[in-house]
Amino acid sequence: MDKFLKNVLAPTLIVFLLISGLMMIYKSPAVKIEDIALSKLVSQINSNEVKEIVVSGGELKIDLNNGTKEKASKEVESSLVETLSNYGVNKEALQKVNIEIKRESGFAVWASIILPFLLPILLIGGFLWFMMRQAQRGNSQAMSFGMSKARMLDPKDKKKRTMFKDVAGAKEAKEELMEIVEFLKHPKKFLNMGAKIPKGVLLLGPPGTGKTLVAKAVAGEAGVPFFNISGSEFVEMFVGVGASRVRDLFKQAKKNAPAIVFIDEIDAVGRHRGAGLGGGHDEREQTLNQILVEMDGFETGANVIVMAATNRPDVLDPALLRPGRFDRRVTLDLPDINERKAILKIHCKNKKLEEGVDIANIAQRTPGFSGADLANLVNEAAILSARKNKTVIGMNELRESIEKVMMGPERKSRVIRKDEQKIVAYHEAGHALVAAFSKHADPVQKISIISRGSAGGYTMAVPTEDKMLHSRGYFLDEIAVLLSGFVTEQEIFGDVTTGASNDLERATNMARNMVTRYGMSNLGPRTFGKKEELIFLGKEVSEQKNYSEKTAQDIDTEVHNLIEGARKRSLEIIIEKKDKLDKLAETLIEKETIEKEEFDEIMGITGMEEKIEMVERKEEK
C-alpha cells in the first residue's frame, strides 16, 4: 500500500493539482471583476450605463460604457429578459444594450454530467491495475529467483578485455594457463590425440595476488565468454535455490561454449561436508553437490572450463580436488622484487611521475606486498600528491604511501610530552643501532618518531632482496633487534615502559617457533604440538599437546635461553656504541624522521660490505 501511495496516487494528485492551478490561473482575470446584484444591473440599464451583456448559462458578463467590467448571476431556467422584467427594467433602455448569448458545447455538457461518476471509477481501476502489475512482478521475481546471477564478460568488448600482458609477474602461472587458452582456441587439436583437457582449474594464493585478474586474462586471450560469480551468490535462505542457480549457470555456459565459468571464493560453498554445521539437507551442501554433479556431467565435446579461486584450499571438500573436477591447481604467490617492479610500472602507467622516481627502490621497500597492496600504494601516493597541490607524484609521496599502507596515516596532531618523545627516540634508535651491527638483520631504511596507527614510532628494516628461507642466525638477530628497544629504555632511563609490549610479544613468538616448529634449539630436530582447526569457523582455535609436562618445561627453558641470549647481545651493542645511540636519538628528536642515507652516515656505514666487516671485527674481538 505504501508503494501504491508513493508511486501512483501521489503523482496523480500532484498532476491533478497542477492542472487545476493552471486552469484557475488561466480562467481568473488579471483585474478583479465586481460581482453585482441583479437589482443594481437593472438600475444601471435604466440609467443607460450598460454597453453589452454576455449570457453564458447562469453567468452574466457586463461591459459598462466607461469600460468597467462587472458580473452577475441569474437562474439558468429563466431567460435574461424575463428575469430583468421581474426587476422592473425599462424595455426601451434594455433595447439599447447589446445582448450576446453563448451556448455550451455538447461535450462540456456531457463532461459536466459524466465526470463526477467517471473519476472514482478511473481511480478504482488504476488501483486494481497497479495491484495486478505488482502481483505479476512478484511472480516473475519468484520465477527468476533460481536463475543464475553470473555476470558475463563479452570477449568482443575490447575496453573491458584483459590480456596476459596486463598481468605483471606470475610467469609460471601464465605458462600453465596457456594450455587452457590453447584448448579453448583449438579444441580439436587435443581431442584428436585422445587428450582430455582438465575440466577445472583451481587458482590458489593469498588475497590480492591477482587470481581473478588471471582468470579474466585467460578468457581474454582465448576470446571466449567469461561467466563470473562469487561462491556466496549461490547460497540463499531458501533450500534448493543454490543448486538451481548452479544448474542455470552451467546451462548458460554450455549454450555459449566454448566458455569459462569462474567461481570466486569457492570456499564459501565448497567446504568440507559433514563439518557439524547443518544436516544432509544443508543449503550449502546441496549447492556443493550440484557443482560436483555438473562438473562430472560434462560431455566430452563441451568446451566449458571451470576456474575457481580461493585462499583457503585446506578447507575445501576432497571431492572437489579429485581428478576429473579441479584436477589442476595453479598457485599465485606474493610477487618477488622483479615482479613488484613490473606491477608498479603497470599501476604507474596512467600516473604522472616526477623525473628521477626510482621504481626499483619502491619495489625493494615493499617485500610481502601483494599486487592489490601495490595498486593501493600508488593510488595513495596520487591522492597525497593531489592533496599537496602537486602536478606530479614524487619519491617522497611514494615512500610515505608505503608507511601509510603498512601502519596507517601519520598522527602529527598527537601531543607528546618532551620526556615521552625522548623515550620514543631512544627506543627507536636502539632498534636501528642493533640492526645496523647485527650480521643477519635486515638493513634499516627509515626511522621515525611520528605516530602511525597505534605505534608511537617505528623503525623500517627491509631486506635488500627477497628471502624464501631464514636461518637460525637470522632469527637470533631479529629477536635481538626486537628486544633492543626494551633494553635501551632500561639502560638509558633505568626503567621500562609499555611501548615495548608488541616487540616482546613478537620476540617471544619467534623464539617459541624456533623451538617448537623449526627445530632450532637444543631439544633437537622435532616439532612440538599440533594445530587443530574447526573447519566451519575457518581459523585456529586450539593446539593439541603431544608432549609431556617435562618437555613443556624444557621448551619454556629453551625459549627463555634464546631470549636472554639475544637480550645480552643487544645490551653489548648498545653499551659499546652508546655515542652513536645518543647522536641518533638527538637527530630523531630534532628532525623526527631519518632516512637510510643519513642513518648510514651517522653509523659510519656506506654499504653492506662495511656493515659485515664491522660485525666480523666485533665477533673477532
Side-chain angles (χ1 to χ4, degrees), residues 440-452:
H440 303 285
D442 294 329
V444 175
Q445 299 288 338
K446 184 177 181 178
I447 321 164
S448 177
I449 58 171
I450 298 173
S451 297
R452 279 188 182 272

Side-chain angles (χ1 to χ4, degrees), residues 318-358:
L320 268 178
L321 306 176
R322 74 156 177 81
R325 288 182 181 134
F326 287 111
D327 42 13
R328 183 167 291 196
R329 306 177 197 181
V330 178
T331 303
L332 284 85
D333 292 319
L334 292 170
D336 60 23
I337 185 167
N338 293 323
E339 291 173 336
R340 289 198 298 274
K341 196 188 303 181
I343 293 169
L344 283 168
K345 284 180 181 177
I346 284 179
H347 291 303
C348 291
K349 193 181 292 183
N350 299 323
K351 308 286 191 303
K352 296 179 181 178
L353 296 182
E354 196 175 50
E355 250 184 82
V357 168
D358 189 359

Side-chain angles (χ1 to χ4, degrees), residues 253-517:
K254 289 174 186 177
K255 278 184 182 178
N256 292 275
I260 290 177
V261 172
F262 178 66
I263 305 173
D264 201 5
E265 304 296 343
I266 194 172
D267 50 279
V269 291
R271 296 194 172 206
H272 277 283
R273 288 169 290 182
L277 196 68
H281 293 286
D282 175 44
E283 168 65 358
R284 182 184 57 78
E285 290 194 7
Q286 285 200 20
T287 306
L288 173 59
N289 290 340
Q290 190 61 44
I291 292 174
L292 298 176
V293 169
E294 290 290 343
M295 291 188 72
D296 238 5
F298 276 174
E299 299 86 358
T300 308
N303 302 336
V304 178
I305 290 181
V306 182
M307 299 185 73
T310 181
N311 48 30
R312 293 298 310 274
D314 53 311
V315 302
L316 293 179
D317 194 279
L320 268 178
L321 306 176
R322 74 156 177 81
R325 288 182 181 134
F326 287 111
D327 42 13
R328 183 167 291 196
R329 306 177 197 181
V330 178
T331 303
L332 284 85
D333 292 319
L334 292 170
D336 60 23
I337 185 167
N338 293 323
E339 291 173 336
R340 289 198 298 274
K341 196 188 303 181
I343 293 169
L344 283 168
K345 284 180 181 177
I346 284 179
H347 291 303
C348 291
K349 193 181 292 183
N350 299 323
K351 308 286 191 303
K352 296 179 181 178
L353 296 182
E354 196 175 50
E355 250 184 82
V357 168
D358 189 359
I359 296 294
N361 182 264
I362 302 300
Q364 183 183 341
R365 287 191 174 208
T366 51
F369 272 47
S370 66
D373 291 329
L374 295 171
N376 187 28
L377 185 156
V378 175
N379 186 57
E380 288 290 346
I383 292 170
L384 187 59
S385 300
R387 197 184 303 160
K388 291 180 179 179
N389 296 321
K390 293 182 66 176
T391 56
V392 291
I393 302 170
M395 198 68 181
N396 290 333
E397 286 75 36
L398 286 166
R399 285 176 175 173
E400 189 172 339
S401 297
I402 295 172
E403 296 153 31
K404 187 175 182 181
V405 171
M406 291 173 66
M407 293 170 282
E410 287 185 349
R411 299 172 62 188
K412 290 186 177 181
S413 60
R414 185 177 180 181
V415 180
I416 302 176
R417 299 200 315 266
K418 290 289 184 184
D419 56 335
E420 286 187 351
Q421 189 183 40
K422 187 176 180 181
I423 292 171
V424 173
Y426 269 98
H427 182 104
E428 299 303 331
H431 282 311
L433 182 73
V434 174
F437 293 99
S438 297
K439 182 177 180 179
H440 303 285
D442 294 329
V444 175
Q445 299 288 338
K446 184 177 181 178
I447 321 164
S448 177
I449 58 171
I450 298 173
S451 297
R452 279 188 182 272
S454 59
Y458 59 93
T459 300
M460 184 185 293
V462 294
T464 53
E465 49 188 35
D466 294 332
K467 296 178 181 178
M468 295 296 293
L469 302 173
H470 297 291
S471 64
R472 184 174 185 273
Y474 171 81
F475 285 124
L476 291 174
D477 283 353
E478 281 297 304
I479 294 172
V481 172
L482 288 169
L483 294 174
S484 57
F486 176 88
V487 173
T488 302
E489 289 183 22
Q490 198 172 39
E491 179 66 22
I492 301 298
F493 303 102
D495 199 0
V496 292
T497 66
T498 57
S501 60
N502 183 254
D503 297 332
L504 298 178
E505 183 180 352
R506 289 166 60 195
T508 304
N509 288 338
M510 197 175 290
R512 184 165 289 277
N513 283 334
M514 286 177 68
V515 177
T516 61
R517 295 280 176 267

Side-chain angles (χ1 to χ4, degrees), residues 15-236:
V15 171
F16 177 75
L17 290 172
L18 285 172
I19 293 172
S20 301
L22 289 171
M23 290 181 68
M24 288 176 66
I25 292 169
Y26 176 75
K27 285 188 174 182
S28 60
V31 181
K32 190 175 181 181
I33 298 174
E34 184 182 357
D35 196 351
I36 62 172
L38 286 175
S39 58
K40 187 177 178 180
L41 174 61
V42 170
S43 174
Q44 290 174 338
I45 293 171
N46 293 338
S47 304
N48 295 321
E49 297 178 13
V50 179
K51 179 182 179 183
E52 184 181 26
I53 299 174
V54 178
V55 183
S56 177
E59 292 184 0
L60 304 177
K61 293 180 180 179
I62 306 159
D63 285 343
L64 302 180
N65 291 325
N66 60 6
T68 307
K69 294 183 181 296
E70 294 176 339
K71 63 180 180 177
S73 300
K74 72 173 186 65
E75 294 178 0
V76 179
E77 291 81 6
S78 60
S79 66
L80 176 62
V81 175
E82 184 182 353
T83 302
L84 294 177
S85 298
N86 293 335
Y87 280 90
V89 70
N90 188 341
K91 293 184 179 180
E92 293 178 359
L94 182 61
Q95 288 177 355
K96 296 177 182 179
V97 177
N98 182 27
I99 298 175
E100 182 181 349
I101 299 174
K102 286 187 176 181
R103 299 187 179 277
E104 291 184 354
S105 64
F107 175 77
V109 174
W110 281 103
S112 63
I113 297 170
I114 294 172
L115 274 180
F117 301 98
L118 186 62
L119 189 60
I121 294 171
L122 289 173
L123 286 173
I124 294 170
F127 175 75
L128 292 174
W129 172 81
F130 174 76
M131 295 298 291
M132 291 175 66
R133 186 182 174 191
Q134 290 295 104
Q136 287 177 355
R137 186 182 297 176
N139 289 334
S140 65
Q141 287 178 349
M143 293 295 289
S144 64
F145 198 65
M147 304 291 282
S148 168
K149 294 184 177 181
R151 296 161 292 280
M152 190 183 86
L153 190 65
D154 190 354
K156 296 178 183 177
D157 190 354
K158 292 185 178 179
K159 289 184 179 179
K160 296 181 180 179
R161 192 173 177 180
T162 305
M163 309 294 283
F164 277 149
K165 66 180 180 181
D166 301 318
V167 183
K171 183 180 178 182
E172 292 79 9
K174 288 192 283 188
E175 288 176 357
E176 186 83 6
L177 293 169
M178 275 306 295
E179 290 184 14
I180 307 298
V181 174
E182 282 293 317
F183 169 68
L184 290 168
K185 281 185 174 180
H186 313 290
K188 290 183 180 179
K189 173 182 171 183
F190 295 89
L191 296 174
N192 291 339
M193 293 295 294
K196 291 183 179 179
I197 297 299
K199 294 179 182 177
V201 179
L202 186 63
L203 302 176
L204 313 173
T209 49
K211 297 184 289 294
T212 306
L213 189 64
V214 167
K216 284 183 179 179
V218 172
E221 290 286 343
V224 298
F226 179 80
F227 292 88
N228 179 23
I229 192 168
S230 172
S232 59
E233 291 182 66
F234 288 117
V235 183
E236 294 281 355

